[in-house]
Amino acid sequence: MNHKRRKKKQKGAKMVVKVYGPDYASPKRVILCLIEKEIDYETVDVDLFKGEHMSPQYLKLQPFGVLPVIEDGDYKLYESRAIIRYYAEKYRSQGSELLGKTIEERGLIEQWLDVEAHIFQPPLYDLVVQLLINPKTGVASDPKRIQEDEEKLTKTLDVYEERLSVSKYLASDTFSLADLSHVPFSNYLMTTLKKEYLIRDRKNVSRWWDDISSRPSWKKVLELHPPVL
Amino acid sequence: MVVKVYGATYAACPQRVMACLFELGFQFDLIKIDLQSGEQKQPQNLLRQPFGQVPSIEDGDFKLFESRAIIRYYSAKSASQGGTNLLGETLEDRALVDQWMEVKVNNYNPMIYTMVLQLVVLPQQGQVGDMELVRDCKGKLEKVLDVYEERLSKSKYLGGERFTIADLTHLPNTRFLMEEGGMEDLIKRRKNLHNWWLDISSRPSWLKVMDLPK
């Protein structure tokens, strides 16, 4: 694994968080959050195609062999959505407010974070495997599964279209962790997966995507850590 | 104010919410949704839960769906009112609770969900389940449970030394695994995992959920 320092001119936190696997989308979820919260970080490369996520060294940090994991001094944490909740809470007083103002608003953010994890992500992740990862590893893709994945995403995005017709962002009229969580994998839809129609055919989803993907934080993520898929 | 919970007593996600409300001492009314007839996908329920699922809650004007969001909301509410804390003491403790809740979603649930479909749902619909797929899932689950066993050899509960929503969230699907799933050996063969299961499944809140009329 290669240790690369990414030193940023920074105010606020003095601790430098280490984020493993910046080439890939789930770690980008974390990096996007750190940039929104103006938190200094550095990255450690993990090459999935060389199997580095299954090395004994990596498994000591993340026993399920998936990305990302963070190290913050002695503190280790994995699961990108746990990590973003942690930093959004810990650095509440700096950067963008991502957790809402009330317990009820937080509840709605949690609801849409869970929708992203349980409903939006699984078929999208499968598309990434079928269309972006399998060709690189010589595994045959399954056209039936690809079709099912698109059908599921279509139904899901119809619900999003309805929601975003009455709300500027998913949980409320303020950008939150729930919107942020969607950005890295949705980016694949607009680029290498070539499924932009899923977004562009829906007026409100399209408006929402343009908004969240044009935030300076996401532009910074793409600039510093270009996607490899 | 009595919370309205829309769901069914025998379904995992509503069970998760009800167990949590019992733990925290929030009163609720269960409004039954007939899952067998697909009532969850009818227009009236779609107004509450646009993905056609259960549970959802109504607490006065406040509405919420996704069982984990609901248990997080009530846990936060309880902790802020000085009540039972199921979230963890420090931010770092709470993040570990979140970590294990996410592990369950990404590494544990997909296997159980596939097995529920093949072993219970499809046969109920008169179809034959794919036993090879079940065997494949079981193999993957064994590896995941080894990680749980390792974790529970170091701490009493998943998030640390206290029972939290990280443990609670596992109750319904693990019960399925042990009973209809016919795979209690996966748990029983792992000493720490088994002791953890015996502990959390004997909590009064879970026993109350199990006692609710089907």
Side-chain angles (χ1 to χ4, degrees):
Chain A
M1 294 183 287
N2 290 323
H3 292 246
K4 279 193 194 141
R5 277 195 86 77
R6 295 247 182 261
K7 220 137 186 176
K8 285 151 50 74
K9 289 187 276 281
Q10 212 39 271
K11 50 183 182 279
K14 291 175 177 58
M15 276 292 228
V16 182
V17 183
K18 262 191 224 174
V19 184
Y20 284 72
D23 288 345
Y24 305 101
S26 295
K28 283 185 167 61
R29 200 177 266 127
V30 170
I31 295 170
L32 181 55
C33 177
L34 294 176
I35 296 176
E36 283 281 345
K37 298 305 288 177
E38 300 168 6
I39 299 168
D40 204 1
Y41 70 95
E42 58 186 50
T43 59
V44 179
D45 286 339
V46 179
D47 190 330
L48 291 185
F49 294 101
K50 289 185 181 158
E52 288 178 352
H53 58 302
M54 300 306 289
S55 70
Q57 205 181 348
Y58 188 74
L59 289 174
K60 274 206 193 90
L61 296 170
Q62 215 293 5
F64 299 96
V66 293
L67 294 172
V69 61
I70 60 101
E71 283 179 285
D72 195 338
D74 290 330
Y75 186 64
K76 292 193 242 299
L77 195 63
Y78 51 85
E79 288 296 336
S80 63
R81 295 178 192 84
I83 299 167
I84 63 178
R85 284 174 168 106
Y86 173 64
Y87 283 104
E89 187 74 62
K90 187 171 182 181
Y91 293 94
R92 205 76 191 254
S93 58
Q94 69 184 57
S96 312
E97 176 54 78
L98 298 172
L99 293 173
K101 296 185 204 65
T102 63
I103 295 183
E104 282 69 32
E105 212 183 321
R106 175 75 189 257
L108 288 169
I109 293 169
E110 291 289 353
Q111 174 185 285
W112 287 100
L113 262 170
D114 277 355
V115 168
E116 189 265 324
H118 305 154
I119 300 176
F120 184 81
Q121 174 78 346
L124 177 49
Y125 181 76
D126 193 60
L127 279 178
V128 170
V129 169
Q130 297 291 328
L131 295 172
L132 303 180
I133 295 179
N134 282 355
K136 286 195 173 196
T137 57
V139 174
S141 288
D142 184 341
K144 185 161 167 272
R145 268 175 82 149
I146 293 168
Q147 194 187 346
E148 283 168 2
D149 292 335
E150 278 193 63
E151 281 166 7
K152 283 176 185 164
L153 275 170
T154 296
K155 286 201 177 104
T156 301
L157 286 168
D158 283 343
V159 177
Y160 278 46
E161 180 65 8
E162 175 63 32
R163 172 59 182 166
L164 293 164
S165 73
V166 298
S167 179
K168 189 174 179 193
Y169 299 97
L170 286 171
S172 71
D173 286 335
T174 309
F175 178 79
S176 77
L177 215 58
D179 309 287
L180 183 152
S181 195
H182 286 78
V183 176
F185 277 92
S186 297
N187 192 62
Y188 289 130
L189 286 174
M190 308 301 285
T191 59
T192 41
L193 284 178
K194 300 190 171 62
K195 307 276 176 208
E196 310 96 311
Y197 81 92
L198 285 168
I199 305 289
R200 293 302 179 208
D201 284 0
R202 294 170 174 80
K203 190 183 84 180
N204 298 297
V205 171
S206 188
R207 185 255 317 147
W208 169 75
W209 171 253
D210 283 339
D211 184 317
I212 65 179
S213 61
S214 63
R215 289 176 76 89
S217 54
W218 180 241
K219 294 193 167 169
K220 200 80 188 159
V221 172
L222 290 176
E223 181 203 331
L224 292 173
H225 313 286
V228 304
L229 290 174
Chain B
M1 180 67 74
V2 177
V3 184
K4 285 188 197 157
V5 179
Y6 292 86
T9 55
Y10 53 84
C13 298
Q15 286 177 345
R16 186 175 291 118
V17 169
M18 291 187 283
C20 183
L21 294 174
F22 281 136
E23 279 283 341
L24 298 172
F26 285 108
Q27 290 209 298
F28 67 91
D29 282 333
L30 176 70
I31 299 168
K32 291 188 178 167
I33 301 288
D34 185 355
L35 302 177
Q36 306 286 12
S37 71
E39 190 187 340
Q40 68 274 31
K41 302 216 184 288
Q42 295 305 311
Q44 203 171 5
N45 196 61
L46 289 177
L47 289 173
R48 302 177 195 112
Q49 214 291 12
F51 299 96
Q53 296 170 344
V54 290
S56 63
I57 62 102
E58 276 173 32
D59 193 339
D61 290 330
F62 184 59
K63 296 186 175 68
L64 205 58
F65 55 86
E66 285 292 335
S67 63
R68 285 165 198 89
I70 296 168
I71 70 178
R72 281 185 162 116
Y73 169 72
Y74 282 103
S75 298
K77 200 167 171 181
S78 173
S80 77
Q81 291 169 353
T84 305
N85 182 352
L86 291 181
L87 291 173
E89 292 293 324
T90 64
L91 260 183
E92 283 70 28
D93 289 343
R94 277 188 266 151
L96 283 175
V97 169
D98 283 338
Q99 176 187 281
W100 283 98
M101 286 185 68
E102 295 298 323
V103 162
K104 178 166 179 297
V105 170
N106 294 321
N107 298 294
Y108 190 86
N109 275 1
M111 306 308 137
I112 310 245
Y113 178 76
T114 303
M115 292 195 288
V116 172
L117 194 63
Q118 304 301 326
L119 289 171
V120 179
V121 177
L122 290 179
Q124 268 175 2
Q125 294 171 351
Q127 295 177 54
V128 179
D130 183 343
M131 290 304 118
E132 203 184 308
L133 190 55
V134 172
R135 267 192 298 276
D136 180 58
C137 281
K138 191 175 175 181
K140 287 179 176 154
L141 192 54
E142 293 259 22
K143 292 202 172 108
V144 167
L145 292 176
D146 285 342
V147 181
Y148 276 66
E149 177 67 5
E150 173 67 23
R151 169 60 181 166
L152 293 165
S153 73
K154 300 198 166 90
S155 74
K156 191 173 179 195
Y157 298 100
L158 289 171
E161 293 309 304
R162 292 162 55 133
F163 177 81
T164 65
I165 52 173
D167 310 287
L168 184 149
T169 198
H170 283 79
L171 281 162
N173 293 14
T174 310
R175 184 214 62 81
F176 165 79
L177 194 68
M178 309 277 286
E179 295 179 20
E180 296 92 304
M183 294 186 196
E184 57 175 21
D185 64 300
L186 288 180
I187 308 290
K188 285 183 168 171
R189 274 193 277 115
R190 293 170 172 86
K191 191 187 85 176
N192 300 301
L193 191 62
H194 191 214
N195 285 339
W196 169 79
W197 169 250
L198 291 172
D199 182 317
I200 67 172
S201 60
S202 62
R203 289 180 78 90
S205 59
W206 183 242
L207 297 175
K208 271 193 203 158
V209 173
M210 292 292 95
D211 271 343
L212 290 170
K214 304 284 175 280

